[in-house]
Amino acid sequence: MEVRTRFAPSPTGFMHLGGVRTALYAYLYAKQNHGKFILRIEDTDQERYVEGATEVIYDTLRRCGMNWDEGPDIGGPCGPYIQSERKATYMPYAEQLVKSGHAYYCFCSKEEIDQRRAKVEAAGGTWKYDKHCLHLSPEEIEEKKAAGIPWTIRMNAPTEGETSYHDMVFGDMTFQNAEAMDDMVLIKQDGMPTYNFANVIDDHLMGITHVMRGMEYLSSTPRYNYLYNALGWEIPAYIHLPTVMRDATHKLSKRDGDAYYSDFMDKGYLTEALINYLALVGWNPGDDREFFTMDELVEAFDVKRLSKSPGIFDVNKLTWFNAEYIRRLPKEKYLELARPWFDQVLSEDSTDYARLAELMQERTEVFNQVPGMIRFLAELPEYDAELFTHKKMKTNPAVACEALQLVTPVLEGIDEAQWTEPVLHDRLMACIQEAGRKNGAVLWPLRIAISGQASTPGGAIEIAYLLGKEETLRRIALGLEKARAAC
Ligand code: GLU
């Protein structure tokens, strides 16, 4: 039997990380079993539809390297793969269920239902559709239809007994029908199926063997099984996945900017790092491996190692992965990715980006930190003369005065054309030696004067090189004034 999994998102906005992870597991499972990964767009709830959301889904999956074998844009033997384009497919099955007594027409208006619900709730009960229309005769049904009264088709759910099924993550599940079932709508007044109906029809018609989806569907699965049975269809294997959470009590949220794939891309995380980490939120390889390419994930993935407890998505851990991935990038790739972030504060005409990239790569955890880390190159920050004081280097503003006075003529004596790191290094070292100083006692104040901060990518020489002669000397002069004023 060929394994066929599907990812069935609703185009309601950006791609939630929970969705990306569901897609990932479905993809991995299909690939591992040399099966097919199918993309189906579930857009029957037209009110929730968001323009452009389908493209976001395509784009996200592609960027993540989860290429689908069948889907809306590439077609396949079970198309169309967009539910709104399959509208005509569902009705015959609903009619078949009406004939067999598993479903029925309902003509209740929203207002009528609201009234009856209010009554039940006022009496302290929980509302469920009360099978009001179940016993309409065929003539009454025809009459109402002819009179143009809008109708839906509802499932005739059992009110007694229980339903059991096996879930590959959660094990054997049993639900009381009286609680888990209700006469849910299958076909809406606009003729569209509900998700509850369409997922069953489509999973069957598309030959889905393993249904992977969020655990919020665990308790509705008895209803779907009722439909499979009523239609005489085989029930697929179920793999329900625990929710991805920020911590034990908080979901990932839009407001905190940690819910969507695009949030992380905007911040400058790498897709590969995100996918690697996401795979481990709710699954473990059974050993201490942490780094996986997509191909390695396909190899290593094992449904038995999916966890039942909520997956905790720890942004710090992701950041750690991201830093590792950034460190492993080829230099050129790093520069390519960093360039737009460099451009936010600098320009390639005046700064040697390739050199800056070398200095920054080791220190970059997430690209959105980059502008803040290099802003001092564009503009000398305000700083306090106290920064010149460094116990270990034995410096203070007075020492800084001497140091800056010492290096000024040396640097002035270097031609613009010779302003390179080796030349800067040789000249500065020579003068430090000649003056009988310690390196730190000169280079620390120099670095403070030209960067205005205690922590920088690279040291005094690299920074002086990146700034260029004129700016370096200008900053030294300012530093000298500041140090003097503090003596
Ligand atoms: N369209 C549903 C959702 O986005 C899919 C659930 C499923 O995979 O069956 O939640």
Side-chain angles (χ1 to χ4, degrees):
M1 180 188 69
E2 181 186 60
V3 167
R4 290 171 65 84
T5 66
R6 88 299 195 272
F7 179 51
S10 303
T12 54
F14 293 116
M15 275 276 276
H16 195 275
L17 285 189
V20 176
R21 195 194 59 167
T22 302
L24 175 63
Y25 290 162
Y27 172 83
L28 295 177
Y29 193 69
K31 294 294 132 183
Q32 173 166 76
N33 291 286
H34 309 287
K36 296 271 162 28
F37 173 60
I38 290 134
L39 175 62
R40 179 172 80 223
I41 301 295
E42 302 206 324
D43 62 344
T44 58
D45 192 347
Q46 303 272 306
E47 279 164 29
R48 290 177 61 220
Y49 179 80
V50 172
E51 196 67 43
T54 306
E55 285 64 37
V56 171
I57 293 166
Y58 295 162
D59 185 57
T60 306
L61 293 180
R62 285 218 172 90
R63 287 219 256 158
C64 292
M66 297 181 235
N67 292 312
W68 48 100
D69 301 297
E70 297 170 27
D73 53 337
I74 57 171
C78 311
Y81 293 88
I82 298 189
Q83 284 183 331
S84 60
E85 292 172 14
R86 299 169 64 78
K87 191 173 171 187
T89 304
Y90 307 103
M91 191 63 90
Y93 293 106
E95 282 164 352
Q96 183 186 327
L97 289 168
V98 170
K99 272 207 195 92
S100 63
H102 294 97
Y104 58 92
Y105 289 97
C106 172
F107 296 89
C108 292
S109 68
K110 189 176 172 303
E111 292 69 31
E112 286 166 334
I113 291 179
D114 284 348
Q115 270 177 13
R116 300 210 299 273
R117 172 188 292 122
K119 250 195 210 154
V120 170
E121 287 177 354
T126 327
W127 165 257
K128 260 187 188 183
Y129 183 75
D130 50 8
K131 294 191 187 277
H132 182 270
C133 290
L134 175 60
H135 301 293
L136 293 175
S137 67
E139 296 73 34
E140 285 171 307
I141 291 171
E142 281 322 307
E143 241 168 61
K144 285 180 189 284
K145 275 190 172 177
I149 303 178
W151 49 267
T152 60
I153 295 182
R154 287 181 181 273
M155 182 169 92
N156 182 16
T159 53
E160 297 172 342
E162 55 183 37
T163 300
S164 298
Y165 67 92
H166 181 76
D167 181 89
M168 289 171 73
V169 173
F170 287 85
D172 290 327
M173 309 293 295
T174 297
F175 291 87
Q176 295 306 311
N177 290 340
E179 283 155 29
M181 302 261 201
D182 70 354
D183 288 10
M184 63 186 187
V185 172
L186 304 179
I187 300 284
K188 296 182 278 188
Q189 287 187 349
D190 62 4
M192 278 286 191
T194 55
Y195 163 77
N196 286 327
F197 189 44
N199 88 86
V200 170
I201 305 300
D202 286 345
D203 282 341
H204 173 73
L205 295 180
M206 295 180 179
I208 302 304
T209 57
H210 295 75
V211 168
M212 287 200 190
R213 63 181 162 217
M215 67 175 284
E216 62 273 23
Y217 293 98
L218 270 175
S219 62
S220 2
T221 297
R223 314 181 206 183
Y224 309 146
N225 289 353
Y226 178 78
L227 293 173
Y228 280 106
N229 289 329
L231 291 161
W233 293 343
E234 196 179 328
I235 294 171
Y238 289 116
I239 302 171
H240 285 95
L241 302 165
T243 312
V244 178
M245 307 279 288
R246 172 150 42 108
D247 54 44
T249 46
H250 295 94
K251 292 194 171 181
L252 299 177
S253 83
K254 187 160 137 182
R255 218 189 39 207
D256 294 319
D258 59 9
Y260 299 123
Y261 171 79
S262 54
D263 290 333
F264 290 90
M265 294 306 109
D266 292 349
K267 287 178 190 152
Y269 285 89
L270 301 178
T271 295
E272 293 78 6
L274 181 64
I275 289 294
N276 188 154
Y277 177 57
L278 259 188
L280 298 171
V281 175
W283 170 80
N284 74 78
D287 52 35
D288 52 12
R289 269 182 303 167
E290 287 190 295
F291 290 94
F292 293 90
T293 61
M294 191 60 106
D295 287 344
E296 288 164 350
L297 283 174
V298 169
E299 280 270 306
F301 186 68
D302 181 354
V303 175
K304 290 198 206 79
R305 297 198 159 277
L306 285 173
S307 165
K308 271 195 246 199
S309 15
I312 304 296
F313 182 87
D314 176 353
V315 175
N316 294 326
K317 187 80 207 233
L318 169 65
T319 301
W320 178 83
F321 267 100
N322 204 61
E324 282 299 318
Y325 270 83
I326 288 181
R327 232 163 269 154
R328 295 170 187 201
L329 289 173
K331 268 190 194 174
E332 304 71 40
K333 186 70 190 171
Y334 176 87
L335 175 55
E336 180 192 324
L337 296 173
R339 183 172 279 116
W341 300 92
F342 288 175
D343 282 341
Q344 285 188 20
V345 281
L346 298 169
S347 109
E348 196 153 14
D349 301 336
S350 43
T351 309
D352 180 346
Y353 273 15
R355 181 64 183 132
L356 179 60
E358 282 174 350
L359 296 170
M360 287 294 291
Q361 184 163 359
E362 278 286 315
R363 305 179 147 239
T364 309
E365 295 181 303
V366 186
F367 281 104
N368 70 351
Q369 300 167 341
V370 166
M373 289 164 73
I374 62 174
R375 186 157 288 125
F376 74 94
L377 291 170
E379 201 184 333
L380 180 66
E382 269 303 318
Y383 67 100
D384 197 283
E386 260 320 292
L387 267 192
F388 287 124
T389 303
H390 191 297
K391 268 213 186 113
K392 236 172 83 197
M393 309 280 181
K394 298 202 169 64
T395 59
N396 57 35
V399 174
C401 271
E402 287 174 39
L404 296 176
Q405 274 169 321
L406 175 70
V407 300
T408 302
V410 175
L411 296 176
E412 275 170 349
I414 302 175
D415 270 4
E416 293 264 9
Q418 282 187 297
W419 195 264
T420 61
E421 285 179 43
V423 171
L424 285 165
H425 178 268
D426 291 350
R427 302 283 178 89
L428 284 170
M429 288 307 160
C431 97
I432 290 170
Q433 215 178 10
E434 215 171 284
R437 304 283 163 111
K438 287 251 185 286
N439 287 350
V442 176
L443 295 179
W444 176 268
L446 176 56
R447 181 151 72 94
I448 296 301
I450 63 180
S451 71
Q453 58 195 38
S455 160
T456 52
I461 292 165
E462 289 84 357
I463 295 166
Y465 164 69
L466 288 170
L467 287 174
K469 181 175 176 181
E470 195 185 324
E471 180 64 8
T472 299
L473 286 165
R474 189 185 75 84
R475 290 183 181 197
I476 291 174
L478 290 172
L480 197 51
E481 262 173 53
K482 198 183 275 276
R484 256 193 207 125
C487 288

